[in-house]
Amino acid sequence: MSAQNNQYALILGASGGLGAALLAQFLADPSISRVVAVSSQSQPEQPAMPEGASSKLVWITCSYHEVSMAQVVDQLTPYQGQFSRVCICHGLLHSDTLWPEKRLEDINADALHEVFQSNTVVPTLWLKLLFKVLKGSTPCVVATLSARVGSITDNRMGGWHAYRASKAALNMLLKNMAIEYARRAKNVKLMAFHPGTTDTGLSKPFQASVPSGKLFTPTFVASQLSTIMSDAQQDGVLCYVDWNGQVIDW
Ligand SMILES: NC(=O)c1ccc[n+]([C@@H]2O[C@H](COP(=O)([O-])OP(=O)(O)OC[C@H]3O[C@@H](n4cnc5c(N)ncnc54)[C@H](OP(=O)(O)O)[C@@H]3O)[C@@H](O)[C@H]2O)c1
């Protein structure tokens, strides 16, 4: 097998709408020989995958506490220096117990903590813990799912305080970590990615106001991201781009 056909991919948060679509994208890609999926959920009994792809898949469950995450990373030691694609797909906007805030009075400490934990803390811990696994000679692109609403420049409407702030904080942490990765692991390129409004559980309650043609399928976005990652250069600079590869202002 040539080096080009022997790439490894890692999907963190593989059971979400976008995580599952990226998993399917990489399983169907003949240039990728191994796909490791990490999720709080167990492996679906009949995951959507092309025939023969199941032998490429390794599924690991994780509770997203730091100890559990470190144990996952220990299991990845045999793949040290071999991953060329990493997607960090965690994100929380609403749940049975929290809803995006419309006004100051809606701000709640527990909800702020919960949203920051999922959107900011968990991706940051992955990038801390994965350093020793990603460092090497294989060019590696790490796409972390951010959102355009994390752009301070773009914020004209306010609201969604916890979600917006958690994504802005994520972007700042990614910037910091990109600077350090550029010094200590030059083979790794970090990317903050905005998928556009995509038809997943996260966007479901808010889809009625999306203009026609602007609600993407997860499959479309996964394909776009895969192309954007393939075209990325190992320049040590964090980029903040949307589904179309367009740069977003911070
Ligand atoms: N859909 C959109 O329109 C849209 C727009 C802009 C940005 N995004 C971003 O895209 C990313 C993926 O979202 P999605 O649309 O695929 O949403 P989704 O279907 O609701 O998936 C949620 C994701 O978050 C993970 N997750 C859930 N609860 C978590 C927790 N408590 N701690 C850590 N991880 C947790 C899930 O991982 P497991 O279940 O596998 O453990 C899964 O990867 C998010 O970062 C989101 O902010 C989405």
Side-chain angles (χ1 to χ4, degrees), residues 13-18 39-40 64 89-91 145-146 163 167 198 200 202:
S15 295
L18 281 159
S39 177
S40 59
Y64 305 138
C89 304
H90 305 279
L145 277 286
S146 180
Y163 187 77
K167 293 294 190 182
T198 309
T200 67
L202 182 139

Side-chain angles (χ1 to χ4, degrees), residues 27-94:
L27 285 171
D29 184 338
S31 70
I32 294 181
S33 60
R34 173 78 63 212
V35 185
V36 180
V38 177
S39 177
S40 59
Q41 311 297 311
S42 47
Q43 182 175 348
E45 277 181 22
Q46 290 181 311
M49 69 174 89
E51 210 174 321
S54 62
S55 59
K56 285 166 63 165
L57 176 62
V58 175
W59 190 281
I60 303 174
T61 53
C62 178
S63 68
Y64 305 138
H65 294 114
E66 189 168 357
V67 173
S68 164
M69 296 168 77
Q71 286 165 352
V72 169
V73 173
D74 285 344
Q75 289 181 64
L76 301 179
T77 307
Y79 309 124
Q80 196 271 327
Q82 294 185 70
F83 285 109
S84 58
R85 299 280 178 273
V86 179
C87 297
I88 304 178
C89 304
H90 305 279
L92 179 65
L93 173 60
H94 61 88

